[in-house]
Amino acid sequence: MSALESNLAKAAALFTRFRAQPLGHFIAGRADRGSSRDLLDNLSPVDGQRLNQVVSGNEQDVHAAATAAEAALPAWRALTGEQRRAVLHKVADAIEARREEIALVECMDTGQALRFMSGAALRGAENFRFFADRAPQACNGLALPAAEHMNYTVRQAIGPVAVITPWNTPFMLSTWKIAPALAAGCTVVHKPAEWSPLTATMLAEIMTEAGVPPGVVNVVNGVGERAGKLLTEHPAIRATAFIGESKTGSLIMSQGAPTLKRVHLELGGKNPVIVFEDADLERALDAVVFMIYSLNGERCTSSSRLLVQRSIYDRFIERVAERVAKLKVGHPLDPATEIGPLIHARHLDKVLSYFRIAREDGAEIKVGGDRVAALKPGLYVQPTLFSHASNTMRVAREEIFGPVLTAIAFDDEAEALKMTNDTPYGLTAYVWTSDTGRALRMAHGVEAGMVWVNSENNRHLPSPFGGMKASGIGRDGGDYSFDFYMETKNICLAFGTHRVPRLGA
Ligand code: NAD
């Protein structure tokens, strides 16, 4: 039996439960069918067939989940950080124990290749361990002494929070939000993306089995415009942590405005990788190819704009093209696969539309530019490279969110910086140069929340993660996460020596 056949057999066994009955919600510590009779079909990226059905949450369902989170808050928030730390480490242990199961379900649900998803559960577990270890100190604030008063600050969990996640790497992204929220003492209602709902329920089950009390984590399934919207409007929810498209982010803000919700938005990007002629071109080549063609290009931090200095442009693009032509497109459960199918027919149509747009705008399609006909009805596209593009073309300005790279030439540092910043987005930038001064000038000039110099996206959990401009508001990571999930309270104690103003005396 090949590795693919063996993985398919294991995945089929795991899907028995999802096929048996529609996937409902997870509320107050148990599976909940909800009151909605509407069902959504969850389709396979591999062959377009129905994987399972999912309940499309309505107002009562969202209300039940928000109320459960509200009821569970006082007891969870009252635990010491050490007690929460112990529970969250058990969650991490349980995620590690079920990592293969999580990876197989995630691949079948999203189309992401196993070679990348096999580590996703471990990263999820790491998220829990990282924030668990910081839980005991999360409440700790500042000492701010004054002449006759002592001020000090403490942080306290803000309350029940909504976590709304996208479909590209749903398990890992959910843990990135839920772990710090729980460590802070918040309770959670999670609304996963309707195109990839499965691992959210698995995560809620794992957490409950590991000892997270009922109601501390709840999942409501459904469509964004309904269940998601209702959640962002619910008065019991104090803050919304959102990952998704920029236009949805702006809706989240306006939907939360009447109830004055705090929002944290991790949104889209059109991230540049800038390669100067003095760079280590071998390392730059590896990083350029990795950062757009891994995870099907469905990655917020993907470097989808390749800016190359004109003196090396032709040579470098030829090298990139050779690599792109050799990428292995195939079944997500085949360990050899580098690029799997796209998540959904609507997303496939969007990506395919940019092949037409590129031609109309006058870019050269150097590699790819079509659907993989041999793998129909699977939603596979050819890894694609557009060359001789300009920064004004739509393929250079809009987030395509597929294995599609747009290459543009620049003459000098000033032009590279101008092109880099000439975009509505500001999530990440990648700079390749051996000139330290230039690296610093570029890094400081770039309008992006994160800059990697001579590196691909290398994650470090204490460091801030987030974007500027249309790429988001707020930062995750380390203490930045606690600033979002907690309220800072100032406490002022008088020494008893100051003069209290007297009125009516
Ligand atoms: P999306 O905005 O369509 O959906 C994200 C989530 O929001 C889904 O759960 C959806 O159901 C929900 N939603 C949709 N409309 C809503 C509404 N009106 N109110 C409340 N919830 C609503 O995004 P997507 O297509 O699922 O994901 C891809 C996008 O996510 C890309 O733009 C990508 O760059 C971005 N992303 C950003 C980061 C980051 O860290 N910056 C990480 C991953 C993905």
Side-chain angles (χ1 to χ4, degrees):
M1 200 191 256
S2 70
L4 172 59
E5 285 163 349
S6 153
N7 288 336
L8 280 169
K10 287 183 201 162
L14 291 169
F15 271 81
T16 314
R17 66 164 283 200
F18 293 122
R19 293 216 162 93
Q21 57 187 344
L23 181 69
H25 315 302
F26 190 91
I27 299 175
R30 57 190 177 79
D32 187 316
R33 176 60 183 74
S35 62
S36 166
R37 293 297 133 224
D38 295 343
L39 296 178
L40 305 168
D41 283 339
N42 183 28
L43 303 175
S44 161
V46 173
D47 55 15
Q49 296 299 308
R50 189 163 86 190
L51 281 171
N52 72 315
Q53 288 192 304
V54 185
V55 172
S56 177
N58 62 15
E59 193 161 0
Q60 288 98 299
D61 300 347
V62 169
H63 184 66
T67 310
E70 194 176 31
L73 180 74
W76 181 249
R77 184 160 61 181
L79 293 183
T80 63
E82 285 79 1
Q83 288 168 319
R84 284 198 296 273
R85 176 176 65 191
V87 176
L88 297 182
H89 272 292
K90 289 203 178 107
V91 173
D93 295 342
I95 291 174
E96 280 170 7
R98 289 177 64 180
R99 63 177 184 265
E100 189 186 31
E101 212 179 303
I102 293 165
L104 293 172
V105 172
E106 188 89 317
C107 290
M108 291 304 290
D109 204 11
T110 62
Q112 295 285 8
L114 187 60
R115 70 162 60 214
F116 302 116
M117 287 306 102
S118 58
L122 294 182
R123 168 66 201 283
E126 193 189 342
N127 287 340
F128 272 94
R129 291 201 197 287
F130 176 82
F131 288 108
D133 285 339
R134 278 155 182 77
Q137 282 303 309
C139 61
N140 205 355
L142 297 173
L144 301 163
E148 293 180 295
H149 292 84
M150 180 63 205
N151 289 276
Y152 69 94
T153 66
V154 291
R155 286 192 303 199
Q156 296 172 333
I158 189 169
V161 297
V163 169
I164 301 182
T165 48
W167 45 258
N168 55 328
T169 49
F171 185 83
M172 196 290 287
L173 290 173
S174 305
T175 62
W176 180 232
K177 296 292 185 188
I178 293 173
L182 296 189
C186 295
T187 54
V188 170
V189 181
H190 179 200
K191 210 300 281 171
E194 50 271 46
W195 289 352
S196 63
L198 301 181
T199 53
T201 295
M202 291 172 72
L203 177 61
E205 290 167 354
I206 287 172
M207 288 190 277
T208 305
E209 283 161 26
V212 172
V216 171
V217 175
N218 308 275
V219 178
V220 179
N221 279 303
V223 294
E225 294 77 3
R226 191 171 181 211
K229 179 171 183 289
L230 288 162
L231 188 57
T232 61
E233 292 169 344
H234 199 284
I237 300 292
R238 302 301 318 279
T240 301
F242 172 76
I243 311 177
E245 284 190 32
S246 301
K247 62 176 189 301
T248 317
S250 97
L251 288 174
I252 301 278
M253 282 188 92
S254 60
Q255 290 162 193
T259 47
L260 291 174
K261 282 204 188 14
R262 184 181 286 183
V263 290
H264 185 168
L265 307 176
E266 288 187 5
L267 310 175
K270 192 73 190 178
N271 309 301
V273 50
I274 307 132
V275 182
F276 287 96
E277 61 191 3
D278 60 5
D280 178 335
L281 295 180
E282 292 305 317
R283 288 173 71 80
L285 176 65
D286 287 343
V288 163
V289 173
F290 177 74
M291 277 314 302
I292 181 66
Y293 298 105
S294 56
L295 299 177
N296 296 346
E298 296 165 334
R299 178 184 199 147
C300 57
T301 51
S302 70
S303 54
S304 52
R305 270 193 303 157
L306 170 60
L307 311 182
V308 185
Q309 196 151 20
R310 201 175 301 281
S311 52
I312 57 161
Y313 183 88
D314 288 336
R315 201 159 35 97
F316 193 75
I317 297 303
E318 282 308 325
R319 302 280 314 276
V320 176
E322 280 166 23
R323 290 281 191 90
V324 179
K326 284 197 223 150
L327 288 166
K328 291 190 187 65
V329 180
H331 196 288
L333 295 190
D334 185 342
T337 292
E338 291 173 318
I339 298 190
L342 299 184
I343 178 86
H344 193 275
R346 283 223 308 273
H347 187 54
L348 174 77
D349 287 345
K350 174 184 160 178
V351 173
L352 293 176
S353 76
Y354 282 98
F355 299 159
R356 176 182 49 74
I357 290 166
R359 289 187 183 95
E360 284 168 8
D361 283 0
E364 180 187 331
I365 300 187
K366 183 95 181 149
V367 185
D370 211 340
R371 192 169 172 174
V372 182
L375 295 176
K376 276 185 189 172
L379 309 177
Y380 295 86
V381 290
Q382 297 170 346
T384 295
L385 173 64
F386 301 137
S387 64
H388 298 95
S390 80
N391 204 48
T392 56
M393 290 179 184
R394 283 182 63 191
V395 289
R397 304 197 74 77
E398 297 172 16
E399 188 184 43
I400 300 173
F401 221 55
V404 181
L405 177 62
T406 300
I408 305 165
F410 68 84
D411 284 313
D412 55 21
E413 187 181 319
E415 193 185 15
L417 186 61
K418 190 161 175 278
M419 277 185 192
T420 292
N421 290 338
D422 180 15
T423 170
Y425 294 106
L427 190 59
T428 76
Y430 304 85
V431 182
W432 287 87
T433 175
S434 55
D435 178 335
T436 310
R438 170 182 281 160
L440 285 168
R441 290 191 298 274
M442 286 295 293
H444 284 249
V446 158
E447 292 166 1
M450 296 168 281
V451 184
W452 276 273
V453 177
N454 295 333
S455 177
E456 80 289 12
N457 162 350
N458 197 286
R459 296 288 293 114
H460 177 238
L461 301 189
S463 299
F465 184 101
M468 296 182 182
K469 295 158 72 176
S471 291
I473 297 176
R475 297 290 179 271
D476 273 320
D479 208 50
Y480 298 92
S481 295
F482 291 133
D483 263 344
F484 177 71
Y485 294 108
M486 300 179 93
E487 291 280 17
T488 296
K489 181 187 282 181
N490 187 65
I491 297 161
C492 179
L493 291 148
F495 292 169
T497 54
H498 74 287
R499 195 180 73 79
V500 181
R502 297 183 77 205
L503 299 181

